[in-house]
Amino acid sequence: MIALLQRVARARVSVENASLADISSGLLLLVSVVRDDQPDDALRLADRVAGYRVFADDAGKMNLDVQQAGGQILAVPQFTLAADTNRGRRPSFGGAAPPERGKALFDTFCEQLGHKNLTVKRGEFGANMQVELVNDGPVTFWLSTR
């Protein structure tokens, strides 16, 4: 699994001009499920995200995780992160998990974050979404279970 993690001052996801979910300070996660991913990948990625220290402590160092910083999470499914862009001018999405499996593992990932007492809001799997964010820093990291 892949998560593009962005520290945000705020973020929102909409579908057909209707706001679906929004957060104030926290993490926007663009999440992709890769073809060979298993439930253990969802659990491992949730553990990494929950404990990833990207918020500043009193000394200005990135030493706090999202919970310690009092932040929320907005998780948005994005299969395009699994694209193969090595050749040509059109990406190949053969590396992405099939939709049913992708949705199941995305849900498992979000549920696991919720079990860690984090506020988790979600985008809509398979929908054409509009994502708005104010990137804080900017601070952006690519996390993968591979």
Side-chain angles (χ1 to χ4, degrees):
M1 287 185 75
I2 300 165
L4 184 68
L5 177 153
Q6 296 177 303
R7 188 178 73 190
V8 297
R10 64 182 176 276
R12 178 173 73 159
V13 62
S14 302
V15 175
E16 296 181 11
N17 295 320
S19 182
L20 186 63
D22 62 85
I23 63 168
S24 54
S25 178
L27 298 175
L28 171 65
L29 305 174
L30 303 176
V31 181
S32 184
V33 180
V34 179
R35 180 166 296 282
D36 294 333
D37 283 338
Q38 301 296 318
D40 284 350
D41 291 293
L43 302 179
R44 187 168 51 252
L45 187 60
D47 284 340
R48 288 195 67 204
V49 165
Y52 217 65
R53 300 182 302 165
V54 298
F55 293 89
D57 62 14
D58 292 337
K61 302 287 184 190
M62 283 191 203
N63 279 327
L64 303 178
D65 62 36
V66 65
Q67 187 173 35
Q68 292 167 326
Q72 300 174 315
I73 292 176
L74 176 55
V76 177
Q78 187 174 351
F79 80 97
T80 61
L81 289 174
D84 180 354
T85 59
N86 289 321
R87 296 186 315 194
R89 295 185 180 169
R90 182 173 171 206
S92 168
F93 300 108
E100 278 184 12
R101 182 155 187 76
K103 181 177 183 339
L105 290 178
F106 175 76
D107 289 345
T108 298
F109 168 74
C110 291
E111 289 162 6
Q112 185 65 24
L113 287 172
H115 292 319
K116 297 176 182 305
N117 296 317
L118 294 166
T119 299
V120 181
K121 299 181 181 181
R122 305 179 192 194
E124 184 178 327
F125 197 93
N128 181 14
M129 296 172 280
Q130 293 75 49
V131 180
E132 300 173 50
L133 70 133
V134 175
N135 199 318
D136 181 17
V139 173
T140 304
F141 295 96
W142 175 281
L143 303 179
S144 175
T145 58
R146 301 281 170 226

